[in-house]
mmCIF file of all heavy atoms in Angstrom:
data_model
loop_
_atom_site.group_PDB
_atom_site.id
_atom_site.type_symbol
_atom_site.label_atom_id
_atom_site.label_comp_id
_atom_site.label_asym_id
_atom_site.label_seq_id
_atom_site.Cartn_x
_atom_site.Cartn_y
_atom_site.Cartn_z
ATOM 1 N N ASN A 122 127.160 -104.665 139.764
ATOM 2 C CA ASN A 122 128.258 -105.529 139.329
ATOM 3 C C ASN A 122 129.638 -104.900 139.477
ATOM 4 O O ASN A 122 130.582 -105.293 138.799
ATOM 5 C CB ASN A 122 128.047 -105.915 137.856
ATOM 6 C CG ASN A 122 126.862 -106.822 137.660
ATOM 7 O OD1 ASN A 122 126.952 -108.019 137.874
ATOM 8 N ND2 ASN A 122 125.728 -106.249 137.260
ATOM 9 N N GLY A 123 129.787 -103.940 140.368
ATOM 10 C CA GLY A 123 131.106 -103.354 140.566
ATOM 11 C C GLY A 123 131.016 -102.053 141.339
ATOM 12 O O GLY A 123 129.948 -101.644 141.800
ATOM 13 N N SER A 124 132.172 -101.409 141.470
ATOM 14 C CA SER A 124 132.258 -100.150 142.200
ATOM 15 C C SER A 124 132.943 -99.120 141.311
ATOM 16 O O SER A 124 134.102 -99.291 140.931
ATOM 17 C CB SER A 124 133.045 -100.346 143.498
ATOM 18 O OG SER A 124 133.203 -99.124 144.176
ATOM 19 N N TYR A 125 132.213 -98.048 140.983
ATOM 20 C CA TYR A 125 132.721 -97.068 140.029
ATOM 21 C C TYR A 125 132.380 -95.656 140.507
ATOM 22 O O TYR A 125 131.442 -95.454 141.279
ATOM 23 C CB TYR A 125 132.091 -97.295 138.647
ATOM 24 C CG TYR A 125 132.160 -98.722 138.182
ATOM 25 C CD1 TYR A 125 131.048 -99.560 138.282
ATOM 26 C CD2 TYR A 125 133.334 -99.249 137.679
ATOM 27 C CE1 TYR A 125 131.113 -100.886 137.890
ATOM 28 C CE2 TYR A 125 133.417 -100.568 137.272
ATOM 29 C CZ TYR A 125 132.298 -101.388 137.384
ATOM 30 O OH TYR A 125 132.364 -102.698 136.996
ATOM 31 N N ARG A 126 133.123 -94.705 140.004
ATOM 32 C CA ARG A 126 132.768 -93.302 140.162
ATOM 33 C C ARG A 126 131.930 -92.934 138.944
ATOM 34 O O ARG A 126 132.422 -92.954 137.829
ATOM 35 C CB ARG A 126 134.021 -92.447 140.268
ATOM 36 C CG ARG A 126 134.788 -92.623 141.580
ATOM 37 C CD ARG A 126 136.138 -91.950 141.542
ATOM 38 N NE ARG A 126 137.051 -92.653 140.647
ATOM 39 C CZ ARG A 126 138.143 -92.119 140.125
ATOM 40 N NH1 ARG A 126 138.467 -90.873 140.374
ATOM 41 N NH2 ARG A 126 138.912 -92.838 139.326
ATOM 42 N N TYR A 127 130.681 -92.576 139.184
ATOM 43 C CA TYR A 127 129.704 -92.495 138.096
ATOM 44 C C TYR A 127 129.077 -91.107 138.025
ATOM 45 O O TYR A 127 128.658 -90.537 139.040
ATOM 46 C CB TYR A 127 128.600 -93.533 138.308
ATOM 47 C CG TYR A 127 127.462 -93.444 137.317
ATOM 48 C CD1 TYR A 127 127.475 -94.183 136.145
ATOM 49 C CD2 TYR A 127 126.382 -92.595 137.553
ATOM 50 C CE1 TYR A 127 126.429 -94.091 135.222
ATOM 51 C CE2 TYR A 127 125.332 -92.490 136.647
ATOM 52 C CZ TYR A 127 125.366 -93.245 135.483
ATOM 53 O OH TYR A 127 124.344 -93.132 134.575
ATOM 54 N N LEU A 128 128.996 -90.574 136.807
ATOM 55 C CA LEU A 128 128.260 -89.347 136.523
ATOM 56 C C LEU A 128 127.331 -89.613 135.353
ATOM 57 O O LEU A 128 127.780 -90.001 134.273
ATOM 58 C CB LEU A 128 129.208 -88.201 136.175
ATOM 59 C CG LEU A 128 128.561 -86.919 135.639
ATOM 60 C CD1 LEU A 128 127.638 -86.281 136.693
ATOM 61 C CD2 LEU A 128 129.625 -85.916 135.186
ATOM 62 N N GLY A 129 126.021 -89.432 135.580
ATOM 63 C CA GLY A 129 125.036 -89.592 134.524
ATOM 64 C C GLY A 129 124.474 -88.244 134.102
ATOM 65 O O GLY A 129 124.150 -87.408 134.953
ATOM 66 N N ILE A 130 124.361 -88.036 132.806
ATOM 67 C CA ILE A 130 123.904 -86.756 132.260
ATOM 68 C C ILE A 130 122.725 -87.003 131.323
ATOM 69 O O ILE A 130 122.773 -87.884 130.468
ATOM 70 C CB ILE A 130 125.038 -86.052 131.488
ATOM 71 C CG1 ILE A 130 126.208 -85.759 132.420
ATOM 72 C CG2 ILE A 130 124.535 -84.763 130.839
ATOM 73 C CD1 ILE A 130 127.471 -85.354 131.700
ATOM 74 N N ASP A 131 121.672 -86.216 131.492
ATOM 75 C CA ASP A 131 120.531 -86.296 130.582
ATOM 76 C C ASP A 131 119.831 -84.939 130.567
ATOM 77 O O ASP A 131 120.220 -84.019 131.297
ATOM 78 C CB ASP A 131 119.565 -87.409 131.008
ATOM 79 C CG ASP A 131 118.783 -87.960 129.828
ATOM 80 O OD1 ASP A 131 117.739 -87.363 129.481
ATOM 81 O OD2 ASP A 131 119.211 -88.966 129.229
ATOM 82 N N VAL A 132 118.789 -84.826 129.722
ATOM 83 C CA VAL A 132 118.078 -83.557 129.588
ATOM 84 C C VAL A 132 116.673 -83.610 130.171
ATOM 85 O O VAL A 132 116.004 -82.581 130.242
ATOM 86 C CB VAL A 132 117.996 -83.115 128.104
ATOM 87 C CG1 VAL A 132 119.383 -82.894 127.537
ATOM 88 C CG2 VAL A 132 117.219 -84.127 127.259
ATOM 89 N N VAL A 133 116.213 -84.803 130.590
ATOM 90 C CA VAL A 133 114.834 -84.956 131.066
ATOM 91 C C VAL A 133 114.854 -85.288 132.558
ATOM 92 O O VAL A 133 115.361 -86.331 132.966
ATOM 93 C CB VAL A 133 114.094 -86.064 130.287
ATOM 94 C CG1 VAL A 133 112.655 -86.189 130.793
ATOM 95 C CG2 VAL A 133 114.108 -85.769 128.790
#
Side-chain angles (χ1 to χ4, degrees):
N122 292 279
S124 177
Y125 311 101
R126 289 170 290 160
Y127 174 92
L128 171 63
I130 299 167
D131 207 275
V132 298
V133 181

